[in-house]
Amino acid sequence: MSYIVTDSTMMERALKSLRQIRREHKAQQTAKGDSPEQVKEDLREAFKNLKLIQEGKLEAKPIEDLFIL
């Protein structure tokens, strides 16, 4: 994550991917019963954390820690 934050091209790709994930997640969660408001709140928190990482106020986790195996 720290590499992505320092590279503007990688950051743009990451944001594009996050937006795609958001669309897919919204479709899946809406089908499962999560409200659109809950999905929006989860995404707000994710973007808030991303901003804190960019500002150096929060340490990025290794990508491997984000995947459930």
Side-chain angles (χ1 to χ4, degrees), residues 11-25:
M11 182 59 86
E12 289 175 24
R13 289 179 183 173
L15 288 173
K16 183 178 178 181
S17 295
L18 283 172
R19 288 182 183 115
Q20 179 64 30
I21 291 168
R22 177 182 64 188
R23 286 189 292 272
E24 292 171 4
H25 184 273

Side-chain angles (χ1 to χ4, degrees), residues 26-40:
K26 183 177 179 180
Q28 289 175 353
Q29 294 303 325
T30 301
K32 291 181 181 179
D34 282 358
S35 69
E37 291 79 20
Q38 181 61 44
V39 174
K40 287 179 188 178

Side-chain angles (χ1 to χ4, degrees), residues 1-17 19 50 54:
M1 287 295 292
S2 60
Y3 172 74
I4 292 172
V5 172
T6 60
D7 185 308
S8 62
T9 303
M10 290 297 292
M11 182 59 86
E12 289 175 24
R13 289 179 183 173
L15 288 173
K16 183 178 178 181
S17 295
R19 288 182 183 115
L50 183 58
Q54 287 176 321

Side-chain angles (χ1 to χ4, degrees), residues 33-50:
D34 282 358
S35 69
E37 291 79 20
Q38 181 61 44
V39 174
K40 287 179 188 178
E41 181 58 34
D42 292 345
L43 288 170
R44 279 189 195 105
E45 183 177 343
F47 282 109
K48 178 181 172 186
N49 287 340
L50 183 58

